[in-house]
Amino acid sequence: MLQWFRTLSLRNKLMLTILVCLVLPSIVSMNVSNFFTRDAVRTQVADNSRESMRIVSQIVSSQMKNMLYIMNFMQFDQDLQEPILNLSHVDASTSIGDIFVNKNTIDKRLSTVMSPLDKMYVTLLLPNGQYVASYTTINFDPRTFMQKSWFPEVEQISGYNVKWIGAEPNYSNESSQPYVLAAAKKLKKNELTKGYVIVGLEMTPLQQLFNQYEKTESMAIIDGQGRIIVDQDNSTIGQSFPYYDQLPDENEAAFVKVNGEDHILLSSQITPEWKLVNMTPYKNAAQQIQSFRKTDFGIQLFFLVLFAMVLLYVVGTLTKPIAKLVQTVVRIESGQLSERSNISGGDEVGRLGYVFDRMIDRIEQTLVENRREQELKRKAELAMLQAQINPHFLFNVLNSIRLKIMMKGDEENAELISSLSALLRMTINRNNAYITLHEEIGINEHYVRLLNSRHGDRVVLRVSAASETLLVQIPRFLLQPIIENAYIHGLKSKAGEITIASRIAEDGRLQVWIEDSGIGMSPERLAELRNQLEVGPMVHVEEEASSPTLSGIGLHNVFERLRIIYGHQFDYEIESKLEQGTQIILRFPQQPKKEV
């Protein structure tokens, strides 16, 4: 990843960095916010579910109160006491008309009270087997209630308490609902049981109430043993509530796992034996809160993307000239000097592009001028060569003169002309940068012969060259400036000896030394000479002017030339003593290299 990032251009790196710096903080902020607000969201979701639970609990409690109201009405209503008492004393001597009148009175009174209430089935059951029912009893005998398993518990109820029975199979033909929610109460007077009231509430209104919350919540009513007595699904009635042991206390909330998902579990006591329970999927309950957060995040993301697009456009606009300048530099590097960036503007990049274009203009102009100068130089050299005398013509003339002198018997002067011809030929001929040591020594023999003919004092040139060194290639005119320097400064242009010797050193390099029998040098002058050979020319200006040379190279130039050709493989030594002469030793490789 890091290697890939390094391969990106500066422009792409800048844009990528901007995107990361914009997006990453938003993602981190959202995750951190979710982490720290998780408990607050859970509390808010639990409060929302608790509020729904409170509303439903009030409605369900109201239904339970209605059932209790009917039972208490049967217990204490004065208009019912006499008919109930009359029915409780019915025997074989009581006429059917009297029984009908009493039942009709009770039925009308119940109808008046129950008319504003939800659908209920009221049964008045007397110890003598008489009963009054608010529903049709064609297919059901209310006296079978006394055979129910829960009826003995009704007998044991003390005071005015109520037995909350729970779900009972529907005994009325007026509804298709398979179950009713039943409760029973014993009617007492002066500690004597005068009858029983059994109230059945149809579950349809409760189920309809629960269905209003089915998209977000699941509600049910359970009894004291944890059995479901009212549910949206009738098939679960009578089954055990699976999370009964995890029910929280009143006004508390518990979180349980259902199929791997968190659910909020709430409970509310609606009767001494019944509880209303509520299970809310946390994900669904938090959906509304999360939707607000997502909406907020969406708005932030929209402006983030908008800001990023604007910023990237601005950055792209600012960095585009730089990319164009880089492309221009690449094309110029490939040789297209006519390319220009044509970048303009008042900012730094614009000024850089302008200066860069002007710089390339000057470079191109300089190259054109250099080419023009080279062309003029070649034309001048050609003109100069055309104006020169043909060297072969000059050599032929000198040889003709030499022959004429020899024919007259002047061998000495003929040899001088021969030496002069050979020296001129070597001086003019610049085709070969290297010659053998043997040829270089021959040139210096001619040079010394010409010196002796010019001056009265004779210089003796001694040669002591090892045979294996004679064919070693050395730079042309390497020894002549040193011989000339020895003659002028060592012998002071007087008679003396100059020795040229050579051998192969132990490290395989060629070692050549030139020694004269001249006046030598003091230690101070020798140190000065060594220093001058390292940093500058050896001789002073007036000495150079009074001692012109044939080659015009000079001792310092010889050493500098050898340094250029052989580098660190060249070294030298200079030894001198007063009145004993000077010795110069040169060491360099046997294989010549082309001069740079």
Side-chain angles (χ1 to χ4, degrees):
M1 183 67 180
L2 183 60
Q3 184 65 27
W4 171 79
F5 182 78
R6 289 176 177 174
T7 59
L8 296 177
S9 64
L10 176 63
R11 184 184 185 190
N12 291 334
K13 286 180 180 177
L14 182 60
M15 290 185 175
L16 182 60
T17 302
I18 290 173
L19 285 176
V20 171
C21 292
L22 286 176
V23 175
L24 187 60
S26 298
I27 296 176
V28 172
S29 175
M30 185 175 182
N31 290 330
V32 171
S33 176
N34 287 338
F35 177 77
F36 285 107
T37 59
R38 180 180 57 187
D39 292 338
V41 171
R42 288 166 71 97
T43 302
Q44 182 63 41
V45 170
D47 290 342
N48 292 344
S49 299
R50 195 177 289 113
E51 180 64 20
S52 300
M53 181 77 166
R54 184 185 64 82
I55 296 173
V56 174
S57 179
Q58 288 179 352
I59 298 175
V60 173
S61 296
S62 176
Q63 295 287 357
M64 300 302 105
K65 290 178 181 179
N66 291 338
M67 294 175 67
L68 188 60
Y69 170 73
I70 294 298
M71 288 185 286
N72 289 333
F73 178 79
M74 297 291 293
Q75 173 83 45
F76 300 109
D77 186 71
Q78 295 298 323
D79 294 335
L80 293 177
Q81 298 306 311
E82 184 178 352
I84 292 174
L85 182 60
N86 293 335
L87 284 178
S88 64
H89 291 96
V90 169
D91 54 19
S93 62
T94 307
S95 64
I96 296 176
D98 292 338
I99 295 175
F100 175 78
V101 171
N102 289 314
K103 286 185 177 182
N104 189 45
T105 302
I106 295 173
D107 186 61
K108 288 182 178 180
R109 186 62 178 162
L110 280 175
S111 299
T112 304
V113 175
M114 293 173 56
S115 59
L117 304 178
D118 287 332
K119 189 67 174 179
M120 289 187 190
Y121 309 117
V122 180
T123 304
L124 174 63
L125 188 61
L126 300 176
N128 60 357
Q130 293 294 322
Y131 61 86
V132 177
S134 64
Y135 52 90
T136 303
T137 59
I138 296 175
N139 298 322
F140 176 74
D141 185 359
R143 288 172 291 189
T144 59
F145 282 131
M146 294 182 178
Q147 301 171 8
K148 297 286 186 180
S149 59
W150 46 262
F151 195 81
E153 297 179 19
V154 179
E155 286 283 359
Q156 297 174 6
I157 293 176
S158 61
Y160 300 110
N161 293 326
V162 175
K163 169 61 180 176
W164 298 96
I165 300 170
E168 278 289 303
N170 195 349
Y171 42 81
S172 173
N173 295 327
E174 300 176 8
S175 173
S176 60
Q177 181 67 246
Y179 295 98
V180 294
L181 193 60
K185 182 178 182 180
K186 184 167 58 174
L187 301 179
K188 298 179 64 176
K189 185 176 182 181
N190 300 326
E191 299 300 324
L192 296 176
T193 302
K194 61 179 182 177
Y196 308 91
V197 178
I198 302 165
V199 179
L201 175 66
E202 190 166 334
M203 293 184 182
T204 302
L206 297 179
Q207 290 177 331
Q208 291 176 348
L209 176 63
F210 293 168
N211 287 336
Q212 295 178 9
Y213 296 89
E214 64 177 347
K215 294 183 179 179
T216 57
E217 303 174 45
S218 297
M219 297 186 184
I221 299 175
I222 61 176
D223 60 15
Q225 286 73 42
R227 293 188 299 266
I228 299 175
I229 58 177
V230 180
D231 195 4
Q232 296 164 289
D233 185 4
N234 289 324
S235 63
T236 62
I237 294 177
Q239 299 179 8
S240 297
F241 183 66
Y243 307 100
Y244 179 73
D245 57 343
Q246 301 182 47
L247 284 177
D249 296 334
E250 190 86 10
N251 298 323
E252 296 293 332
F255 287 85
V256 296
K257 288 284 187 180
V258 179
N259 296 326
E261 293 188 6
D262 284 334
H263 283 64
I264 303 170
L265 181 60
L266 302 173
S267 68
S268 177
Q269 200 79 33
I270 55 176
T271 73
E273 299 179 9
W274 296 349
K275 287 184 178 181
L276 175 67
V277 295
N278 179 6
M279 290 194 67
T280 305
Y282 175 77
K283 183 177 180 181
N284 294 341
Q287 187 174 6
Q288 186 176 8
I289 298 175
Q290 294 295 343
S291 66
F292 289 132
R293 294 172 60 84
K294 289 181 180 179
T295 302
D296 179 62
F297 177 75
I299 294 174
Q300 294 183 26
L301 183 61
F302 170 77
F303 285 103
L304 176 66
V305 172
L306 180 63
F307 177 71
M309 292 176 61
V310 173
L311 186 59
L312 290 177
Y313 173 77
V314 173
V315 172
T317 303
L318 294 178
T319 57
K320 185 177 181 180
I322 298 178
K324 184 178 181 181
L325 184 60
V326 172
Q327 294 173 359
T328 304
V329 171
V330 172
R331 287 194 291 268
I332 291 175
E333 184 186 17
S334 65
Q336 304 178 34
L337 292 179
S338 60
E339 289 290 331
R340 296 295 183 272
S341 66
N342 297 321
I343 298 174
S344 60
D347 57 4
E348 291 81 356
V349 178
R351 291 196 293 271
L352 176 63
Y354 175 80
V355 172
F356 177 80
D357 288 347
R358 302 292 79 75
M359 179 184 69
I360 299 300
D361 289 341
R362 287 195 292 272
I363 291 175
E364 188 176 18
Q365 183 179 0
T366 301
L367 292 176
V368 171
E369 292 176 354
N370 287 340
R371 286 195 293 268
R372 183 179 179 185
E373 289 178 359
Q374 292 296 326
E375 184 178 356
L376 292 176
K377 183 178 180 180
R378 285 194 298 270
K379 290 181 179 179
E381 289 176 351
L382 179 61
M384 181 183 69
L385 291 175
Q386 292 174 347
Q388 288 180 340
I389 299 175
N390 192 329
H392 294 287
F393 172 76
L394 180 61
F395 299 147
N396 292 334
V397 171
L398 287 174
N399 287 330
S400 298
I401 295 173
R402 174 174 170 273
L403 290 174
K404 289 181 179 180
I405 293 175
M406 288 181 65
M407 291 175 64
K408 292 181 179 181
D410 191 351
E411 296 289 339
E412 181 179 358
N413 288 325
E415 287 299 322
L416 289 175
I417 291 176
S418 176
S419 297
L420 177 60
S421 176
L423 189 61
L424 285 175
R425 183 184 298 274
M426 187 60 63
T427 302
I428 295 174
N429 183 14
R430 297 181 180 270
N431 293 329
N432 297 325
Y434 297 92
I435 60 176
T436 63
L437 178 62
H438 171 70
E439 291 176 317
E440 182 70 15
I441 292 174
I443 292 173
N444 283 280
E445 288 176 342
H446 289 303
Y447 175 68
V448 171
R449 186 179 296 119
L450 291 173
L451 285 178
N452 289 333
S453 68
R454 179 183 173 190
H455 302 283
D457 299 319
R458 294 190 61 81
V459 176
V460 178
L461 179 64
R462 301 186 184 279
V463 178
S464 179
S467 59
E468 66 269 18
T469 65
L470 293 177
L471 297 180
V472 175
Q473 296 280 328
I474 66 173
R476 193 163 61 90
F477 276 111
L478 176 67
L479 301 181
Q480 186 273 332
I482 302 177
I483 300 297
E484 182 181 21
N485 187 77
Y487 174 73
I488 295 174
H489 298 288
L491 300 179
K492 292 295 182 180
S493 302
K494 299 186 180 299
E497 292 185 1
I498 298 177
T499 301
I500 300 176
S502 66
R503 70 181 182 88
I504 301 300
E506 294 180 357
D507 58 2
R509 292 183 297 172
L510 175 65
Q511 179 173 303
V512 179
W513 65 89
I514 300 92
E515 184 176 354
D516 66 66
S517 60
I519 61 174
M521 289 180 285
S522 64
E524 293 78 10
R525 175 58 184 153
L526 180 60
E528 181 182 357
L529 173 62
R530 289 171 177 168
N531 182 63
Q532 289 175 340
L533 288 175
E534 293 295 329
V535 299
M538 178 191 72
V539 295
H540 298 293
V541 175
E542 59 272 13
E543 291 178 329
E544 291 181 352
S546 61
S547 304
T549 66
L550 182 63
S551 64
I553 297 177
L555 185 60
H556 178 271
N557 291 340
V558 172
F559 284 17
E560 190 65 26
R561 183 181 175 195
L562 290 173
R563 288 192 189 98
I564 294 174
I565 296 174
Y566 298 106
H568 67 278
Q569 293 182 304
F570 162 72
D571 62 62
Y572 67 91
E573 295 180 12
I574 299 178
E575 300 294 338
S576 182
K577 293 183 180 179
L578 287 174
E579 306 303 332
Q580 294 185 18
T582 302
Q583 184 184 63
I584 299 176
I585 301 175
L586 308 176
R587 298 185 190 89
F588 48 87
Q590 295 185 48
Q591 296 298 326
K593 296 181 181 180
K594 188 176 180 180
E595 291 188 70
V596 295

